[in-house]
Amino acid sequence: MDKTPVLIVGGGPVGLALACELGWRGIACTLIEQGDGTIVTPKMNEVNVRTMEFCRRWGIAQDVHRCPFPPDYPLDVAFVTSLSGYEIGRMSRAPRMSEPSEPHSPMRLQVCSQMWFDPILQRFARTFPQVRLCYRTQLESFAALGNGVSAAVVDLASGQRRHIEADYLVGCDGANSMVRRSLGIGLDGKTLGHPVHLYFRAPNLLGICGRKPTTFFVTVDRGGVWSNVRVIDPLNDMWRLMVLDAGSALDPERVDREAYLRRAVGRPLEVEWLGTSVWTRRSVVSERYAKGRVFLAGDAVHQLSPTGALGMNTGIGDAVDLGWKLAAVLAGWGGTDLLSSYEMERRPIGLRNVGMAAEFYRDHQKADDDLAFIEDDSTTGAEVRRRMGEVLVRDIGRMFRTVGLQIGYRYENSSICIPDGTPAYPDDPEVFVPSARPGSRAPHAWLGENCSALDLYGRGFVLLRLGADAPDGSRLETAAAQRCVPLKTLTVTDREAIQLYEKRLVLVRPDGHVAWRGDTPPPDGATVIDRVRGAASLGLCTPWESLGQHYVC
Ligand SMILES: Cc1cc2nc3c(=O)[nH]c(=O)nc-3n(C[C@H](O)[C@H](O)[C@H](O)COP(=O)(O)OP(=O)(O)OC[C@H]3O[C@@H](n4cnc5c(N)ncnc54)[C@H](O)[C@@H]3O)c2cc1C
């Protein structure tokens, strides 16, 4: 019988991110994945700002920066009647490695296909001796034990069956999650359509169509906005044509790929076909994110329209939120409410992001009577294209202007964040408002050469004293030490940071969100520390030594 503190089911980007987060925190875990880790037809391409901030914390941002997508390739979005037809609008997006970086983050969004990103996570996870990645291993069933979960797994290469006992099981097993279904947890939401993906290799496609380097083409013709064409690997001429909705779920063998390609490119073109996939565009969120000692993360709990590139990025946010909480509970300093705060914090973010992605998709469906003229070589045609271009950049372009969505999510009404009485600020997808209001991601400010305030957070709690004369934080330090809660006090004198954080004492959680802040020390440090470690009802925690796990104390 194998034993592991955490059994992760599914080795997509979310399961891998959880293995990385736990490994980085010194926690042992086993990940099982039924596939062999090879990605033939990558879905995800955009690693957003928040995920890049996590990569920076893990020390793998450079690996993403070095991925084979050319660093100077413009990330432009063009609206065209076809690749060889009229260009009716363009959104310039700077290359992924250009300067300056995002103003409110040390990182910027990266285009890095899943076929490169997943292996970066795999390699990082493997650097931790306590993390085991088992490929070609499938979960068959699981059952609750008194103090854990027992999982029946099969090695798909040998057919050998075995049991793994875990303190916690996390289902990161994707949209069709067997873990979620086994728990009897349903999905709320609806189906939006049945897209088709066509992957192909087409050398010099842009040259043939007379186009400058562009990452993403949205095609709009007399039938409306019907597809997009994205370069996946410019150095190897790999492209993906997505038909937004084929009407019904087609058999991939029966998809008329030549017809779709001809319509998108606007002329006959010989390509090397690399793959076809037909999938269902859903806008759903799981009713629950956990049951007992079993948790769910990623596509297992939220399935988003890819409009807005939020799917994996939301899932990695789940993994980071759950990761530090599991680590804290396994180390003994996390209280009983800590794990229940996972659903409380992450499900609202799932609902928010699923809702926004669906709205971005609806932007594609706005009909326009004048579309009949959009391809006409006439004055009317030119006028329709000019007007439509503006509308498309404004409306469909929204899904590329999402900095507020990426880093502006905050944990309202969380049981482990202590409100300070300040009102909630607007949650605008396009605009990011930095704030140290409890529940928010603690703001970035440069504190020195290549040193961001975000670099201070991660391992444990950080108590920031803002200003050389900030009040003393010893009440919180003492309470934390008595409870073996890892807490480090740092004094920051940078003027920008002092302004951004607004209060003179700010307590930041291991995931970089603000837990508490105030201008004066709390009257009772223990009340604050117990609340933020999810033990408000418990007082002093179980001595962590007795649990046999070691954390920084
Ligand atoms: C066209 C398209 C473009 C996208 N672009 C983006 C983007 O730019 N940015 C973004 O953030 N997101 C994007 N997404 C969404 C993103 O791809 C998904 O959200 C992400 O892959 C989900 O990751 P996951 O690890 O939760 O699930 P998955 O990637 O589905 O991984 C689940 C894994 O679990 C394994 N598994 C399942 N059952 C078992 C079992 N019983 N035993 C063992 N293993 C099991 C599966 O084999 C699979 O590898 C896009 C999606 C699409 C369709």
Side-chain angles (χ1 to χ4, degrees), residues 9-15 32-35 43-47 114 137-140 172-175 178 197 230 240 242 279 297-300 306 309-314:
V9 182
V14 175
I32 57 169
E33 162 57 48
Q34 63 193 7
K43 295 184 285 186
M44 187 287 297
N45 286 282
E46 304 214 343
V47 180
Q114 195 172 357
T137 305
Q138 188 175 53
L139 176 74
E140 290 197 312
C172 303
D173 50 344
M178 180 264 229
H197 275 173
R230 166 171 215 129
R240 184 190 67 210
M242 183 204 284
W279 49 283
D299 276 18
L310 288 165
M312 176 201 76
N313 291 304
T314 307

mmCIF file of all heavy atoms in Angstrom, residues 9-15 32-35 43-47 114 137-140 172-175 178 197 230 240 242 279 297-300 306 309-314, ligand 1:
data_model
loop_
_atom_site.group_PDB
_atom_site.id
_atom_site.type_symbol
_atom_site.label_atom_id
_atom_site.label_comp_id
_atom_site.label_asym_id
_atom_site.label_seq_id
_atom_site.Cartn_x
_atom_site.Cartn_y
_atom_site.Cartn_z
ATOM 1 N N VAL A 9 -5.017 13.894 -8.854
ATOM 2 C CA VAL A 9 -5.477 13.111 -10.001
ATOM 3 C C VAL A 9 -5.537 14.050 -11.202
ATOM 4 O O VAL A 9 -6.307 15.015 -11.214
ATOM 5 C CB VAL A 9 -6.868 12.500 -9.747
ATOM 6 C CG1 VAL A 9 -7.288 11.655 -10.945
ATOM 7 C CG2 VAL A 9 -6.848 11.665 -8.482
ATOM 8 N N GLY A 10 -4.704 13.789 -12.203
ATOM 9 C CA GLY A 10 -4.688 14.607 -13.416
ATOM 10 C C GLY A 10 -3.415 15.422 -13.516
ATOM 11 O O GLY A 10 -3.080 16.173 -12.603
ATOM 12 N N GLY A 11 -2.720 15.232 -14.628
ATOM 13 C CA GLY A 11 -1.443 15.938 -14.842
ATOM 14 C C GLY A 11 -1.539 16.931 -15.978
ATOM 15 O O GLY A 11 -0.602 17.098 -16.753
ATOM 16 N N GLY A 12 -2.703 17.625 -16.093
ATOM 17 C CA GLY A 12 -2.787 18.793 -16.976
ATOM 18 C C GLY A 12 -2.088 19.946 -16.263
ATOM 19 O O GLY A 12 -1.463 19.760 -15.208
ATOM 20 N N PRO A 13 -2.200 21.165 -16.791
ATOM 21 C CA PRO A 13 -1.469 22.268 -16.163
ATOM 22 C C PRO A 13 -1.874 22.529 -14.715
ATOM 23 O O PRO A 13 -1.032 22.940 -13.901
ATOM 24 C CB PRO A 13 -1.811 23.476 -17.055
ATOM 25 C CG PRO A 13 -2.994 23.061 -17.873
ATOM 26 C CD PRO A 13 -2.931 21.575 -17.998
ATOM 27 N N VAL A 14 -3.139 22.264 -14.365
ATOM 28 C CA VAL A 14 -3.574 22.585 -12.996
ATOM 29 C C VAL A 14 -3.030 21.562 -11.997
ATOM 30 O O VAL A 14 -2.500 21.932 -10.939
ATOM 31 C CB VAL A 14 -5.113 22.707 -12.939
ATOM 32 C CG1 VAL A 14 -5.598 22.904 -11.522
ATOM 33 C CG2 VAL A 14 -5.570 23.858 -13.839
ATOM 34 N N GLY A 15 -3.123 20.279 -12.330
ATOM 35 C CA GLY A 15 -2.548 19.254 -11.453
ATOM 36 C C GLY A 15 -1.046 19.459 -11.299
ATOM 37 O O GLY A 15 -0.492 19.359 -10.184
ATOM 38 N N ILE A 32 -1.046 11.378 -10.339
ATOM 39 C CA ILE A 32 -1.260 10.323 -11.336
ATOM 40 C C ILE A 32 -1.940 10.923 -12.562
ATOM 41 O O ILE A 32 -2.835 11.765 -12.451
ATOM 42 C CB ILE A 32 -2.080 9.130 -10.778
ATOM 43 C CG1 ILE A 32 -3.431 9.593 -10.227
ATOM 44 C CG2 ILE A 32 -1.293 8.365 -9.718
ATOM 45 C CD1 ILE A 32 -4.379 8.441 -9.919
ATOM 46 N N GLU A 33 -1.472 10.502 -13.732
ATOM 47 C CA GLU A 33 -1.997 11.020 -14.994
ATOM 48 C C GLU A 33 -2.153 9.841 -15.943
ATOM 49 O O GLU A 33 -1.216 9.081 -16.162
ATOM 50 C CB GLU A 33 -1.035 12.075 -15.559
ATOM 51 C CG GLU A 33 -1.195 12.405 -17.036
ATOM 52 C CD GLU A 33 -2.586 12.892 -17.453
ATOM 53 O OE1 GLU A 33 -3.135 13.779 -16.784
ATOM 54 O OE2 GLU A 33 -3.128 12.341 -18.456
ATOM 55 N N GLN A 34 -3.342 9.706 -16.523
ATOM 56 C CA GLN A 34 -3.576 8.551 -17.385
ATOM 57 C C GLN A 34 -2.812 8.627 -18.707
ATOM 58 O O GLN A 34 -2.460 7.610 -19.290
ATOM 59 C CB GLN A 34 -5.074 8.384 -17.639
ATOM 60 C CG GLN A 34 -5.704 9.542 -18.383
ATOM 61 C CD GLN A 34 -7.235 9.519 -18.357
ATOM 62 O OE1 GLN A 34 -7.842 8.700 -17.669
ATOM 63 N NE2 GLN A 34 -7.846 10.415 -19.113
ATOM 64 N N GLY A 35 -2.531 9.837 -19.178
ATOM 65 C CA GLY A 35 -1.770 9.985 -20.423
ATOM 66 C C GLY A 35 -0.274 9.856 -20.170
ATOM 67 O O GLY A 35 0.157 9.609 -19.043
ATOM 68 N N LYS A 43 -4.137 23.312 -26.355
ATOM 69 C CA LYS A 43 -5.281 24.227 -26.271
ATOM 70 C C LYS A 43 -4.773 25.599 -25.820
ATOM 71 O O LYS A 43 -4.904 26.572 -26.511
ATOM 72 C CB LYS A 43 -6.306 23.695 -25.256
ATOM 73 C CG LYS A 43 -6.959 22.384 -25.663
ATOM 74 C CD LYS A 43 -8.028 21.955 -24.659
ATOM 75 C CE LYS A 43 -7.460 21.417 -23.377
ATOM 76 N NZ LYS A 43 -8.435 20.880 -22.443
ATOM 77 N N MET A 44 -4.188 25.641 -24.626
ATOM 78 C CA MET A 44 -3.834 26.903 -23.998
ATOM 79 C C MET A 44 -2.599 27.546 -24.648
ATOM 80 O O MET A 44 -1.635 26.862 -24.957
ATOM 81 C CB MET A 44 -3.559 26.593 -22.524
ATOM 82 C CG MET A 44 -3.328 27.754 -21.635
ATOM 83 S SD MET A 44 -1.748 28.589 -21.810
ATOM 84 C CE MET A 44 -0.565 27.358 -21.347
ATOM 85 N N ASN A 45 -2.654 28.860 -24.833
ATOM 86 C CA ASN A 45 -1.498 29.602 -25.364
ATOM 87 C C ASN A 45 -1.103 30.797 -24.514
ATOM 88 O O ASN A 45 0.029 31.227 -24.570
ATOM 89 C CB ASN A 45 -1.803 30.117 -26.780
ATOM 90 C CG ASN A 45 -1.776 28.992 -27.780
ATOM 91 O OD1 ASN A 45 -0.713 28.545 -28.187
ATOM 92 N ND2 ASN A 45 -2.949 28.500 -28.141
ATOM 93 N N GLU A 46 -2.079 31.370 -23.769
ATOM 94 C CA GLU A 46 -1.769 32.624 -23.075
ATOM 95 C C GLU A 46 -1.638 32.399 -21.572
ATOM 96 O O GLU A 46 -2.611 32.047 -20.899
ATOM 97 C CB GLU A 46 -2.827 33.683 -23.395
ATOM 98 C CG GLU A 46 -2.946 33.881 -24.907
ATOM 99 C CD GLU A 46 -3.262 35.295 -25.354
ATOM 100 O OE1 GLU A 46 -3.707 36.105 -24.527
ATOM 101 O OE2 GLU A 46 -3.059 35.573 -26.547
ATOM 102 N N VAL A 47 -0.428 32.596 -21.085
ATOM 103 C CA VAL A 47 -0.136 32.466 -19.654
ATOM 104 C C VAL A 47 -0.246 33.886 -19.096
ATOM 105 O O VAL A 47 0.557 34.748 -19.450
ATOM 106 C CB VAL A 47 1.286 31.897 -19.456
ATOM 107 C CG1 VAL A 47 1.605 31.764 -17.984
ATOM 108 C CG2 VAL A 47 1.443 30.567 -20.186
ATOM 109 N N GLN A 114 0.732 25.426 -24.484
ATOM 110 C CA GLN A 114 0.701 24.336 -23.504
ATOM 111 C C GLN A 114 1.740 23.259 -23.822
ATOM 112 O O GLN A 114 2.234 22.592 -22.928
ATOM 113 C CB GLN A 114 -0.705 23.747 -23.555
ATOM 114 C CG GLN A 114 -1.060 22.885 -22.414
ATOM 115 C CD GLN A 114 -2.529 22.509 -22.437
ATOM 116 O OE1 GLN A 114 -3.276 22.960 -23.318
ATOM 117 N NE2 GLN A 114 -2.935 21.699 -21.500
ATOM 118 N N THR A 137 -1.042 6.260 -15.495
ATOM 119 C CA THR A 137 -1.646 5.710 -14.271
ATOM 120 C C THR A 137 -3.018 6.347 -14.112
ATOM 121 O O THR A 137 -3.130 7.574 -14.123
ATOM 122 C CB THR A 137 -0.761 6.033 -13.041
ATOM 123 O OG1 THR A 137 0.554 5.552 -13.307
ATOM 124 C CG2 THR A 137 -1.295 5.392 -11.785
ATOM 125 N N GLN A 138 -4.022 5.510 -13.991
ATOM 126 C CA GLN A 138 -5.399 6.012 -14.003
ATOM 127 C C GLN A 138 -6.088 5.750 -12.666
ATOM 128 O O GLN A 138 -5.948 4.662 -12.101
ATOM 129 C CB GLN A 138 -6.165 5.293 -15.114
ATOM 130 C CG GLN A 138 -7.543 5.843 -15.381
ATOM 131 C CD GLN A 138 -8.169 5.147 -16.572
ATOM 132 O OE1 GLN A 138 -8.235 3.905 -16.599
ATOM 133 N NE2 GLN A 138 -8.590 5.915 -17.560
ATOM 134 N N LEU A 139 -6.856 6.742 -12.231
ATOM 135 C CA LEU A 139 -7.699 6.532 -11.050
ATOM 136 C C LEU A 139 -8.924 5.733 -11.486
ATOM 137 O O LEU A 139 -9.609 6.111 -12.440
ATOM 138 C CB LEU A 139 -8.148 7.884 -10.489
ATOM 139 C CG LEU A 139 -9.113 7.806 -9.305
ATOM 140 C CD1 LEU A 139 -8.373 7.377 -8.036
ATOM 141 C CD2 LEU A 139 -9.805 9.142 -9.074
ATOM 142 N N GLU A 140 -9.200 4.636 -10.767
ATOM 143 C CA GLU A 140 -10.400 3.847 -11.094
ATOM 144 C C GLU A 140 -11.545 4.145 -10.130
ATOM 145 O O GLU A 140 -12.700 4.206 -10.523
ATOM 146 C CB GLU A 140 -10.061 2.365 -11.068
ATOM 147 C CG GLU A 140 -9.145 1.967 -12.230
ATOM 148 C CD GLU A 140 -9.147 0.466 -12.460
ATOM 149 O OE1 GLU A 140 -9.005 -0.294 -11.482
ATOM 150 O OE2 GLU A 140 -9.284 0.069 -13.627
ATOM 151 N N CYS A 172 -7.914 17.027 -10.251
ATOM 152 C CA CYS A 172 -7.586 18.031 -11.284
ATOM 153 C C CYS A 172 -7.752 17.307 -12.617
ATOM 154 O O CYS A 172 -6.897 17.382 -13.497
ATOM 155 C CB CYS A 172 -6.147 18.523 -11.138
ATOM 156 S SG CYS A 172 -5.778 19.222 -9.527
ATOM 157 N N ASP A 173 -8.838 16.564 -12.713
ATOM 158 C CA ASP A 173 -8.979 15.623 -13.820
ATOM 159 C C ASP A 173 -9.883 16.139 -14.936
ATOM 160 O O ASP A 173 -10.487 15.363 -15.663
ATOM 161 C CB ASP A 173 -9.446 14.251 -13.304
ATOM 162 C CG ASP A 173 -10.663 14.313 -12.390
ATOM 163 O OD1 ASP A 173 -10.979 15.399 -11.911
ATOM 164 O OD2 ASP A 173 -11.284 13.262 -12.174
ATOM 165 N N GLY A 174 -9.916 17.455 -15.089
ATOM 166 C CA GLY A 174 -10.479 18.039 -16.295
ATOM 167 C C GLY A 174 -11.997 18.067 -16.350
ATOM 168 O O GLY A 174 -12.709 17.730 -15.398
ATOM 169 N N ALA A 175 -12.483 18.493 -17.522
ATOM 170 C CA ALA A 175 -13.904 18.802 -17.700
ATOM 171 C C ALA A 175 -14.821 17.625 -17.375
ATOM 172 O O ALA A 175 -15.916 17.797 -16.865
ATOM 173 C CB ALA A 175 -14.119 19.264 -19.138
ATOM 174 N N MET A 178 -13.944 12.578 -13.293
ATOM 175 C CA MET A 178 -14.507 11.386 -12.647
ATOM 176 C C MET A 178 -14.597 11.611 -11.135
ATOM 177 O O MET A 178 -15.523 11.146 -10.481
ATOM 178 C CB MET A 178 -13.581 10.206 -12.990
ATOM 179 C CG MET A 178 -13.984 8.906 -12.418
ATOM 180 S SD MET A 178 -13.106 8.601 -10.898
ATOM 181 C CE MET A 178 -12.539 6.972 -11.190
ATOM 182 N N HIS A 197 -11.602 22.504 -33.877
ATOM 183 C CA HIS A 197 -10.209 22.951 -33.973
ATOM 184 C C HIS A 197 -9.526 22.222 -35.103
ATOM 185 O O HIS A 197 -9.559 20.985 -35.146
ATOM 186 C CB HIS A 197 -9.433 22.561 -32.702
ATOM 187 C CG HIS A 197 -9.566 23.546 -31.611
ATOM 188 N ND1 HIS A 197 -9.082 23.328 -30.352
ATOM 189 C CD2 HIS A 197 -10.123 24.766 -31.596
ATOM 190 C CE1 HIS A 197 -9.335 24.379 -29.614
ATOM 191 N NE2 HIS A 197 -9.976 25.252 -30.339
ATOM 192 N N ARG A 230 -4.977 31.229 -35.302
ATOM 193 C CA ARG A 230 -3.947 31.633 -34.353
ATOM 194 C C ARG A 230 -2.633 30.937 -34.694
ATOM 195 O O ARG A 230 -2.623 29.736 -34.984
ATOM 196 C CB ARG A 230 -4.394 31.223 -32.952
ATOM 197 C CG ARG A 230 -3.317 31.281 -31.961
ATOM 198 C CD ARG A 230 -3.763 31.103 -30.533
ATOM 199 N NE ARG A 230 -2.883 31.978 -29.789
ATOM 200 C CZ ARG A 230 -3.236 32.878 -28.922
ATOM 201 N NH1 ARG A 230 -4.474 33.024 -28.608
ATOM 202 N NH2 ARG A 230 -2.352 33.640 -28.344
ATOM 203 N N ARG A 240 -3.578 27.206 -35.829
ATOM 204 C CA ARG A 240 -4.837 26.559 -35.451
ATOM 205 C C ARG A 240 -6.000 27.418 -35.949
ATOM 206 O O ARG A 240 -6.031 28.631 -35.698
ATOM 207 C CB ARG A 240 -4.943 26.440 -33.930
ATOM 208 C CG ARG A 240 -6.222 25.681 -33.501
ATOM 209 C CD ARG A 240 -6.456 25.783 -32.012
ATOM 210 N NE ARG A 240 -6.769 27.137 -31.618
ATOM 211 C CZ ARG A 240 -6.481 27.655 -30.430
ATOM 212 N NH1 ARG A 240 -5.891 26.933 -29.514
ATOM 213 N NH2 ARG A 240 -6.790 28.915 -30.148
ATOM 214 N N MET A 242 -9.899 27.882 -35.495
ATOM 215 C CA MET A 242 -11.028 27.494 -34.644
ATOM 216 C C MET A 242 -12.329 27.974 -35.289
ATOM 217 O O MET A 242 -12.529 29.176 -35.479
ATOM 218 C CB MET A 242 -10.928 28.111 -33.250
ATOM 219 C CG MET A 242 -12.080 27.634 -32.349
ATOM 220 S SD MET A 242 -12.468 28.758 -30.999
ATOM 221 C CE MET A 242 -11.136 28.438 -29.883
ATOM 222 N N TRP A 279 -15.078 19.915 -29.811
ATOM 223 C CA TRP A 279 -15.322 19.957 -28.375
ATOM 224 C C TRP A 279 -16.574 20.774 -28.092
ATOM 225 O O TRP A 279 -17.205 21.288 -29.015
ATOM 226 C CB TRP A 279 -14.098 20.495 -27.617
ATOM 227 C CG TRP A 279 -13.510 21.757 -28.137
ATOM 228 C CD1 TRP A 279 -12.717 21.899 -29.240
ATOM 229 C CD2 TRP A 279 -13.675 23.082 -27.608
ATOM 230 N NE1 TRP A 279 -12.372 23.220 -29.424
ATOM 231 C CE2 TRP A 279 -12.944 23.967 -28.428
ATOM 232 C CE3 TRP A 279 -14.346 23.604 -26.510
ATOM 233 C CZ2 TRP A 279 -12.875 25.339 -28.192
ATOM 234 C CZ3 TRP A 279 -14.272 24.974 -26.264
ATOM 235 C CH2 TRP A 279 -13.547 25.818 -27.108
ATOM 236 N N ALA A 297 -10.203 21.044 -8.571
ATOM 237 C CA ALA A 297 -9.591 22.285 -9.073
ATOM 238 C C ALA A 297 -9.524 22.259 -10.591
ATOM 239 O O ALA A 297 -9.533 21.196 -11.217
ATOM 240 C CB ALA A 297 -8.179 22.442 -8.492
ATOM 241 N N GLY A 298 -9.441 23.446 -11.186
ATOM 242 C CA GLY A 298 -9.268 23.555 -12.643
ATOM 243 C C GLY A 298 -10.549 23.272 -13.402
ATOM 244 O O GLY A 298 -11.662 23.549 -12.918
ATOM 245 N N ASP A 299 -10.415 22.703 -14.592
ATOM 246 C CA ASP A 299 -11.593 22.440 -15.434
ATOM 247 C C ASP A 299 -12.566 21.475 -14.752
ATOM 248 O O ASP A 299 -13.729 21.394 -15.139
ATOM 249 C CB ASP A 299 -11.165 21.856 -16.791
ATOM 250 C CG ASP A 299 -10.779 22.952 -17.788
ATOM 251 O OD1 ASP A 299 -10.514 24.082 -17.340
ATOM 252 O OD2 ASP A 299 -10.731 22.681 -19.005
ATOM 253 N N ALA A 300 -12.137 20.764 -13.754
ATOM 254 C CA ALA A 300 -13.049 19.884 -13.009
ATOM 255 C C ALA A 300 -14.146 20.706 -12.337
ATOM 256 O O ALA A 300 -15.240 20.197 -12.101
ATOM 257 C CB ALA A 300 -12.264 19.085 -11.962
ATOM 258 N N PRO A 306 -13.038 29.766 -24.141
ATOM 259 C CA PRO A 306 -11.644 30.257 -24.139
ATOM 260 C C PRO A 306 -11.512 31.752 -24.437
ATOM 261 O O PRO A 306 -10.413 32.304 -24.324
ATOM 262 C CB PRO A 306 -10.958 29.432 -25.234
ATOM 263 C CG PRO A 306 -11.937 28.461 -25.751
ATOM 264 C CD PRO A 306 -13.276 28.733 -25.148
ATOM 265 N N ALA A 309 -8.987 33.803 -22.480
ATOM 266 C CA ALA A 309 -7.815 33.025 -22.048
ATOM 267 C C ALA A 309 -7.737 32.881 -20.531
ATOM 268 O O ALA A 309 -6.694 33.110 -19.921
ATOM 269 C CB ALA A 309 -6.524 33.644 -22.602
ATOM 270 N N LEU A 310 -8.866 32.501 -19.939
ATOM 271 C CA LEU A 310 -8.898 32.464 -18.476
ATOM 272 C C LEU A 310 -8.927 31.059 -17.885
ATOM 273 O O LEU A 310 -8.815 30.899 -16.678
ATOM 274 C CB LEU A 310 -10.147 33.216 -17.995
ATOM 275 C CG LEU A 310 -10.115 34.729 -18.136
ATOM 276 C CD1 LEU A 310 -11.519 35.307 -17.979
ATOM 277 C CD2 LEU A 310 -9.181 35.327 -17.106
ATOM 278 N N GLY A 311 -9.136 30.025 -18.719
ATOM 279 C CA GLY A 311 -9.395 28.685 -18.190
ATOM 280 C C GLY A 311 -8.267 28.154 -17.320
ATOM 281 O O GLY A 311 -8.420 27.946 -16.111
ATOM 282 N N MET A 312 -7.124 27.933 -17.924
ATOM 283 C CA MET A 312 -5.998 27.400 -17.159
ATOM 284 C C MET A 312 -5.566 28.390 -16.084
ATOM 285 O O MET A 312 -5.251 28.012 -14.949
ATOM 286 C CB MET A 312 -4.814 27.113 -18.076
ATOM 287 C CG MET A 312 -3.613 26.655 -17.295
ATOM 288 S SD MET A 312 -2.059 26.859 -18.156
ATOM 289 C CE MET A 312 -1.773 28.615 -18.015
ATOM 290 N N ASN A 313 -5.567 29.661 -16.443
ATOM 291 C CA ASN A 313 -5.100 30.662 -15.480
ATOM 292 C C ASN A 313 -5.974 30.670 -14.224
ATOM 293 O O ASN A 313 -5.461 30.810 -13.116
ATOM 294 C CB ASN A 313 -5.069 32.040 -16.154
ATOM 295 C CG ASN A 313 -3.969 32.117 -17.214
ATOM 296 O OD1 ASN A 313 -2.804 31.874 -16.908
ATOM 297 N ND2 ASN A 313 -4.334 32.394 -18.455
ATOM 298 N N THR A 314 -7.285 30.477 -14.399
ATOM 299 C CA THR A 314 -8.163 30.396 -13.225
ATOM 300 C C THR A 314 -7.831 29.136 -12.428
ATOM 301 O O THR A 314 -7.785 29.147 -11.195
ATOM 302 C CB THR A 314 -9.649 30.368 -13.666
ATOM 303 O OG1 THR A 314 -9.884 31.477 -14.530
ATOM 304 C CG2 THR A 314 -10.590 30.434 -12.479
HETATM 305 C C1 LIG B 1 -9.114 26.475 -27.712
HETATM 306 C C2 LIG B 1 -8.761 26.644 -26.296
HETATM 307 C C3 LIG B 1 -7.860 27.633 -25.976
HETATM 308 C C4 LIG B 1 -7.537 27.842 -24.659
HETATM 309 N N1 LIG B 1 -6.663 28.841 -24.369
HETATM 310 C C5 LIG B 1 -6.386 29.098 -23.084
HETATM 311 C C6 LIG B 1 -5.473 30.132 -22.756
HETATM 312 O O1 LIG B 1 -4.904 30.785 -23.624
HETATM 313 N N2 LIG B 1 -5.251 30.369 -21.441
HETATM 314 C C7 LIG B 1 -5.867 29.654 -20.466
HETATM 315 O O2 LIG B 1 -5.658 29.932 -19.289
HETATM 316 N N3 LIG B 1 -6.688 28.634 -20.752
HETATM 317 C C8 LIG B 1 -6.962 28.345 -22.030
HETATM 318 N N4 LIG B 1 -7.785 27.319 -22.326
HETATM 319 C C9 LIG B 1 -8.339 26.482 -21.249
HETATM 320 C C10 LIG B 1 -7.309 25.477 -20.774
HETATM 321 O O3 LIG B 1 -6.825 24.712 -21.829
HETATM 322 C C11 LIG B 1 -7.928 24.587 -19.705
HETATM 323 O O4 LIG B 1 -8.615 25.384 -18.778
HETATM 324 C C12 LIG B 1 -6.840 23.800 -18.994
HETATM 325 O O5 LIG B 1 -6.210 22.914 -19.855
HETATM 326 C C13 LIG B 1 -7.445 23.014 -17.841
HETATM 327 O O6 LIG B 1 -6.434 22.362 -17.165
HETATM 328 P P1 LIG B 1 -6.749 21.168 -16.160
HETATM 329 O O7 LIG B 1 -5.411 20.700 -15.702
HETATM 330 O O8 LIG B 1 -7.768 21.594 -15.188
HETATM 331 O O9 LIG B 1 -7.475 20.083 -17.062
HETATM 332 P P2 LIG B 1 -6.910 19.244 -18.274
HETATM 333 O O10 LIG B 1 -5.915 20.035 -19.045
HETATM 334 O O11 LIG B 1 -8.099 18.740 -19.000
HETATM 335 O O12 LIG B 1 -6.142 18.049 -17.593
HETATM 336 C C14 LIG B 1 -6.839 17.007 -16.926
HETATM 337 C C15 LIG B 1 -5.949 15.784 -16.935
HETATM 338 O O13 LIG B 1 -6.538 14.777 -16.115
HETATM 339 C C16 LIG B 1 -6.274 13.519 -16.709
HETATM 340 N N5 LIG B 1 -7.259 12.560 -16.181
HETATM 341 C C17 LIG B 1 -8.603 12.577 -16.348
HETATM 342 N N6 LIG B 1 -9.177 11.540 -15.708
HETATM 343 C C18 LIG B 1 -8.161 10.842 -15.123
HETATM 344 C C19 LIG B 1 -8.124 9.661 -14.325
HETATM 345 N N7 LIG B 1 -9.231 8.985 -13.993
HETATM 346 N N8 LIG B 1 -6.918 9.223 -13.900
HETATM 347 C C20 LIG B 1 -5.773 9.894 -14.226
HETATM 348 N N9 LIG B 1 -5.764 11.001 -14.989
HETATM 349 C C21 LIG B 1 -6.948 11.490 -15.421
HETATM 350 C C22 LIG B 1 -6.422 13.786 -18.195
HETATM 351 O O14 LIG B 1 -5.747 12.828 -18.956
HETATM 352 C C23 LIG B 1 -5.822 15.176 -18.327
HETATM 353 O O15 LIG B 1 -4.460 15.149 -18.679
HETATM 354 C C24 LIG B 1 -8.116 27.050 -23.645
HETATM 355 C C25 LIG B 1 -9.002 26.033 -23.970
HETATM 356 C C26 LIG B 1 -9.332 25.833 -25.284
HETATM 357 C C27 LIG B 1 -10.294 24.756 -25.626
#
